[in-house]
């Protein structure tokens, strides 16, 4: 399971057993944010932020701008494409808005090719579905749950994944819940995240924070997966 890049893991968790995603736009934004997260983990970029301290907590003043650190080829087609289109100083929200649907389609197709999503075409009024492999999805959830329950160590990769899952709002559906103390420690940069670089923690926070709230009334992807803008 752990050969999957961050956007692949996020999408695998975003797809419910029914084959739907709870909110298509959230999943698309989250997938694009996960692409940047994977590159940040590889020290290829970071998101510059403006923040201050309030009662010991980090308060972010803006959405952040993308700063490129290393544009050499990665060997991953999608990652090289992203690095090729980014410019240092790109606004985070604008880039995510532009990239979101292409990112979801690309990484969904990759999961289908790996047998981790099974495509079910739509019929009549029923939209198409993408059913996640139950063993792979269950294994990933179990690993995350061990981290949430503090039975396994938190690493940088799982920090990004858990931040994305939590911000997208489906952590609770997966039985994943951070305690108030865990949330407080993350916001203060102490506890399990103390040894992580500050710019990496900031990047994870602002990437996950860029995922929009669920649309009014919720709604899965149904048949509008590839719809235009």
């Amino acid at each position: 399971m752990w050969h999957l890049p961050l956007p692949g893991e996020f999408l695998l968790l975003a797809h419910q057993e029914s084959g739907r995603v709870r909110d298509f736009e959230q999943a698309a934004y989250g997938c694009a944010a996960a692409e940047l997260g994977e590159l940040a983990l590889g020290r290829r970029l970071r998101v510059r932020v403006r923040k201050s301290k309030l009662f010991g907590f980090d308060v972010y003043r803006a959405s952040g701008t993308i700063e490129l650190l290393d544009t050499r080829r990665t060997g991953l087609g999608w990652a090289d494409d992203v690095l090729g289109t980014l410019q240092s100083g790109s606004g985070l929200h604008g880039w995510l808005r532009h990239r979101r649907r292409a990112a979801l389609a690309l990484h969904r197709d990759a999961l289908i090719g790996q047998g981790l999503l099974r495509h079910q075409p739509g019929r009549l009024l029923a939209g198409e579905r993408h059913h996640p492999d139950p063993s792979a999805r269950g294994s990933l959830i179990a690993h995350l749950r061990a981290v949430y329950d503090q039975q396994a160590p938190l690493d940088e990769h799982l920090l990004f994944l858990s931040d994305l899952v939590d911000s997208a709002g489906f952590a609770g559906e997966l039985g994943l819940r951070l305690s108030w103390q865990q949330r407080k420690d993350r916001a203060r940069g102490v506890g399990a995240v103390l040894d992580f670089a500050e710019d990496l923690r900031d990047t994870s926070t602002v990437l996950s924070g860029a995922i929009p709230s669920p649309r009014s009334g919720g709604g899965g992807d149904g048949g509008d997966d590839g719809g235009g803008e």
Side-chain angles (χ1 to χ4, degrees), residues 10-11 14-16 19-32 96-97 99-109 117 128-130 168 170 211-229:
F10 176 82
L11 270 190
H15 284 83
Q16 301 169 327
R20 299 173 67 91
V21 294
R22 187 177 64 163
D23 188 292
F24 178 74
E25 281 295 286
Q26 274 197 310
Y29 269 96
C31 190
L96 292 176
R97 186 168 58 250
R99 176 69 179 175
R100 68 193 194 281
R101 291 177 180 257
L104 188 146
L106 186 154
H107 293 284
R108 177 181 270 173
D109 284 347
L117 281 181
E128 63 179 346
R129 305 289 180 96
H130 296 84
F170 51 80
I211 299 175
S213 299
R215 290 173 294 180
S216 178
D221 52 356
D224 65 350
D225 291 353
E229 301 279 342

Side-chain angles (χ1 to χ4, degrees), residues 107-121:
H107 293 284
R108 177 181 270 173
D109 284 347
L111 290 175
I112 292 171
Q114 293 171 287
L116 297 176
L117 281 181
R118 177 176 56 84
H119 179 225
Q120 175 186 323

Side-chain angles (χ1 to χ4, degrees), residues 124-175:
L124 298 176
L125 298 178
E128 63 179 346
R129 305 289 180 96
H130 296 84
H131 298 274
D133 177 86
S135 176
R137 187 172 182 267
S139 175
L140 183 55
I141 293 170
H143 193 75
L144 268 175
R145 185 174 295 125
V147 172
Y148 273 68
D149 294 344
Q150 302 180 73
Q151 301 300 312
L154 177 71
D155 60 22
E156 294 173 348
H157 178 98
L158 290 169
L159 170 67
F160 274 72
L161 182 58
S162 61
D163 278 349
L164 289 166
V165 166
D166 201 51
S167 186
F170 51 80
E173 298 173 8
L174 304 176

